[in-house]
Amino acid sequence: MSRFGISFTADPVVRDLARLSSVLDTIANAERKGDLSSSFFGGKFNAYMDLSETEKEYILHADIPGVKKDEIDISIKENVLTISGERTANKEIKDDQRHLVERAYGKFSRSLRLPNDANADKAVASFGSGVLQLVFPKKPMDDGVKKISVL
């Protein structure tokens, strides 16, 4: 309790003002740093993916609008596919007054384990209209039984 008899942790108005002050400090610091990837300026960008299967292949679609083709990194290690890159904000506008910010910016990385019969060595990637498509042909399934000939 303060000398005025107010408990700062119990008084809801004071507590809300303290939270508001903290949020405003965070926004001001992010704006000074030009950090448009913070949750107050565009949030965190993420690639949304769909993986489908046909009789002969797996098809992955990843929505990554605003990312240039040469800024997309696709790798596979131990049958785990990783797609990463960065969507950068337009920093040319300096004196605008923002009324609504919904578009997200920043680095992204998505990983998923490929099915065992996906042939990563023969994968084909294409990119257009903000959508990355990866096609993985299926490998012939091995029944797991090895035959050994008697000499």
Side-chain angles (χ1 to χ4, degrees):
M1 267 216 203
S2 74
R3 65 184 184 162
F4 300 107
I6 300 172
S7 171
F8 289 105
T9 57
D11 187 276
V13 173
V14 174
R15 187 176 54 237
D16 289 345
L17 286 173
R19 278 191 211 139
L20 177 61
S21 176
S22 175
V23 167
L24 291 174
D25 285 345
T26 303
I27 292 172
N29 288 334
E31 188 172 27
R32 268 195 298 278
K33 294 176 188 174
D35 181 12
L36 297 177
S37 66
S38 77
S39 60
F40 298 104
F41 296 104
K44 183 176 170 137
F45 179 68
N46 209 349
Y48 294 101
M49 301 190 301
D50 294 330
L51 179 63
S52 57
E53 174 181 5
T54 68
E55 190 175 311
K56 297 181 179 186
E57 61 196 11
Y58 294 98
I59 304 165
L60 181 128
H61 290 101
D63 289 346
I64 45 178
V67 178
K68 295 176 185 146
K69 179 174 138 178
D70 57 345
E71 294 177 350
I72 302 169
D73 184 45
I74 306 167
S75 62
I76 299 173
K77 182 178 180 182
E78 298 177 1
N79 215 35
V80 175
L81 168 71
T82 300
I83 301 170
S84 58
E86 183 173 7
R87 181 174 170 181
T88 54
N90 180 359
K91 294 187 180 183
E92 293 175 14
I93 303 170
K94 295 184 184 202
D95 296 328
D96 65 338
Q97 183 176 354
R98 297 175 186 200
H99 294 278
L100 177 67
V101 178
E102 292 183 340
R103 295 181 301 153
Y105 303 97
K107 293 182 180 183
F108 68 92
S109 181
R110 295 291 311 269
S111 295
L112 68 96
R113 180 166 300 282
L114 294 172
N116 288 333
D117 61 338
N119 191 343
D121 294 330
K122 294 189 179 180
V124 176
S126 59
F127 184 69
S129 299
V131 179
L132 173 69
Q133 176 177 292
L134 293 167
V135 178
F136 299 92
K138 289 184 178 180
K139 298 180 202 173
M141 287 302 290
D142 182 11
D143 62 3
V145 176
K146 303 275 185 202
K147 298 264 183 178
I148 300 174
S149 300
V150 178
L151 299 176

